[in-house]
């Protein structure tokens, strides 16, 4: 809860007039506890995990001709019923497992020093912190993901997430309940190491959710913002990981590609790229190619 009774008191304490965003923040948060502000992440994640995948589904249903060229695995279609069933499973896990953990996790947020007070952070501060959060999330997630592909862990936990070899947006958080909790840890590491404002924290969670859904959307649209980020992964990059499944030793990183490159876990994917280029050349020459993806045997021999 803000320690100011009025706008005038806030301006006197800060030593300048409040900006419009700061005035809006004051009016919205003046009578809300810090715990309530933190709990905004619960409806935020729910709405984004519903509306962002719904956007891709609506595009697929209403504009099939437009989206068809950008579908990563065009031969596989997930039905409307299957999408809805997946959504119900995901939300059941979210509300019965993830939400209770979020409700009791506020002391950790308070401990690391995420603030709700005025002044609001500058745009430069927000952008720099978000970059740091993305880098930390990517690196930590990469190693956790590799751990989840150890045979026992994969067969008993991670295999649930790989039930969709051609994922959709609604399958983003389709996973074993324990995996949902463990993979949530990297998202809190950045704010814990470089704590900022609650506004930055909520914005970070929103961007991370949108980015994760895009990775699982099954569509590699040319206008996605990730196309303009250096070393960025995307739907086509992550889709390959799902296609190969449990035997995949490629494309573990969720956001960028440099970890896979540095640690040599993108060989299968790069081999597939070479096959695609060869296939395109064969089509130009009037001969037939092998297919869209490298086989598991090809990847293991690579």
């Amino acid at each position: 809860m803000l320690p100011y009774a009025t706008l005038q008191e806030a301006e006197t304490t800060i030593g300048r007039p409040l900006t419009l965003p700061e005035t809006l923040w004051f009016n919205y948060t003046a009578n809300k506890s810090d715990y309530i502000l933190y709990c905004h992440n619960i409806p935020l994640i729910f709405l984004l995990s519903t509306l962002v995948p719904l956007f891709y589904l609506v595009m697929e249903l209403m504009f099939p001709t437009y989206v068809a060229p950008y579908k990563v695995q065009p031969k596989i279609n997930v039905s409307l019923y299957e999408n809805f069933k997946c959504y119900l499973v995901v939300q059941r896990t979210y509300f019965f497992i993830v939400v209770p953990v979020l409700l009791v996790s506020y002391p950790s947020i308070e401990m690391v020093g995420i603030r709700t007070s005025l002044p609001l952070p500058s745009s430069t501060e927000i952008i720099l912190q978000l970059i740091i959060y993305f880098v930390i999330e990517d690196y930590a997630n990469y190693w956790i993901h590799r751990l989840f592909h150890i045979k026992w862990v994969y067969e008993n936990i991670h295999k649930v997430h790989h039930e969709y070899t051609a994922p959709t947006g609604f399958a983003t958080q389709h996973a074993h309940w324990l995996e949902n909790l463990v993979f949530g840890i990297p998202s809190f590491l950045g704010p814990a190491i470089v704590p900022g404002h609650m506004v930055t924290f909520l914005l970070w969670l929103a961007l991370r959710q949108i980015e994760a859904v895009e990775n699982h959307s099954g569509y590699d649209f040319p206008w996605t913002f990730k196309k303009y980020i250096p070393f960025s992964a995307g739907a086509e990059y992550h889709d390959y990981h799902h296609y190969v499944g449990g035997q995949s030793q490629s494309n573990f990183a969720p956001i960028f590609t440099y970890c896979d490159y540095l640690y040599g876990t993108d060989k299968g994917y790069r081999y597939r790229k070479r096959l695609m280029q060869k296939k395109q050349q064969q089509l130009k020459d009037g001969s037939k190619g092998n297919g869209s993806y490298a086989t598991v045997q090809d990847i293991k021999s690579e």
Side-chain angles (χ1 to χ4, degrees):
M1 186 175 295
L2 296 179
Y4 319 113
T6 64
L7 283 171
Q8 290 72 23
E9 184 181 343
E11 291 178 338
T12 300
T13 304
I14 295 174
R16 59 168 175 78
L18 299 183
T19 63
L20 177 60
E22 288 173 336
T23 301
L24 294 173
W25 180 256
F26 177 89
N27 291 332
Y28 182 73
T29 65
N31 297 315
K32 294 180 177 65
S33 68
D34 290 353
Y35 176 70
I36 294 300
L37 293 176
Y38 165 71
C39 286
H40 279 54
N41 73 83
I42 294 173
L44 176 67
I45 294 173
F46 167 70
L47 288 173
L48 290 175
S49 66
T50 301
L51 297 179
V52 180
L54 186 61
F55 165 78
Y56 286 99
L57 183 59
V58 170
M59 289 282 289
E60 182 178 289
L61 294 175
M62 296 187 65
F63 308 101
T65 304
Y66 170 74
V67 302
Y70 306 114
K71 190 171 177 62
V72 182
Q73 296 190 52
K75 294 182 179 180
I76 299 179
N77 292 301
V78 180
S79 68
L80 186 61
Y81 170 76
E82 185 64 31
N83 272 290
F84 181 67
K85 186 173 72 172
C86 176
Y87 173 73
L88 292 180
V89 171
V90 167
Q91 295 306 327
R92 182 182 62 191
T93 302
Y94 180 66
F95 281 103
F96 286 99
I97 303 295
V98 179
V99 168
V101 173
L102 292 175
L103 287 172
V104 300
S105 63
Y106 175 70
S108 64
I109 298 298
E110 191 175 33
M111 181 180 66
V112 301
I114 293 178
R115 65 185 183 88
T116 61
S117 61
L118 295 173
L120 292 180
S122 66
S123 57
T124 300
E125 179 182 341
I126 292 174
I127 291 171
L128 288 175
Q129 287 182 329
L130 287 175
I131 291 173
I132 293 171
Y133 295 171
F134 271 114
V135 172
I136 293 174
E137 160 83 24
D138 186 69
Y139 192 80
N141 195 301
Y142 171 84
W143 286 106
I144 292 175
H145 198 173
R146 286 191 67 171
L147 174 66
F148 270 66
H149 273 261
I150 294 174
K151 184 175 178 58
W152 186 93
V153 182
Y154 180 87
E155 290 296 331
N156 291 277
I157 300 176
H158 193 49
K159 188 176 182 179
V160 176
H161 185 61
H162 276 273
E163 288 177 356
Y164 288 88
T165 56
T168 70
F170 287 115
T172 302
Q173 293 169 318
H174 177 77
H176 190 282
W177 66 267
L178 182 59
E179 177 173 340
N180 271 297
L181 296 181
V182 173
F183 273 90
I185 295 173
S187 296
F188 286 87
L189 276 181
I193 296 171
V194 186
H197 198 277
M198 186 63 72
V199 168
T200 308
F201 177 72
L202 293 175
L203 178 59
W204 154 241
L205 293 181
L207 291 175
R208 179 66 182 102
Q209 183 67 32
I210 294 170
E211 183 273 337
V213 172
E214 181 191 327
N215 273 2
H216 293 82
S217 68
Y219 287 95
D220 190 31
F221 291 120
W223 38 260
T224 173
F225 75 96
K226 297 187 75 174
K227 294 289 186 181
Y228 305 97
I229 301 176
F231 309 109
S232 177
E236 189 261 349
Y237 188 85
H238 189 69
D239 196 281
Y240 176 78
H241 176 82
H242 273 266
Y243 174 82
V244 180
Q247 299 185 64
S248 175
Q249 295 301 316
S250 279
N251 300 23
F252 292 109
I255 302 168
F256 304 108
T257 60
Y258 69 90
C259 278
D260 284 304
Y261 178 78
L262 290 175
Y263 299 113
T265 51
D266 62 350
K267 292 181 179 180
Y269 175 72
R270 288 190 283 114
Y271 182 67
R272 174 251 179 177
K273 283 286 191 181
R274 292 197 296 271
L275 282 185
M276 289 292 291
Q277 293 172 355
K278 181 179 179 181
K279 178 183 177 182
Q280 290 173 354
Q281 186 60 46
Q282 288 173 332
L283 290 174
K284 289 180 181 180
D285 296 340
S287 57
K288 295 183 178 179
N290 292 325
S292 297
Y293 285 100
T295 65
V296 173
Q297 289 75 19
D298 289 333
I299 294 164
K300 293 174 70 175
S301 65
E302 176 66 4

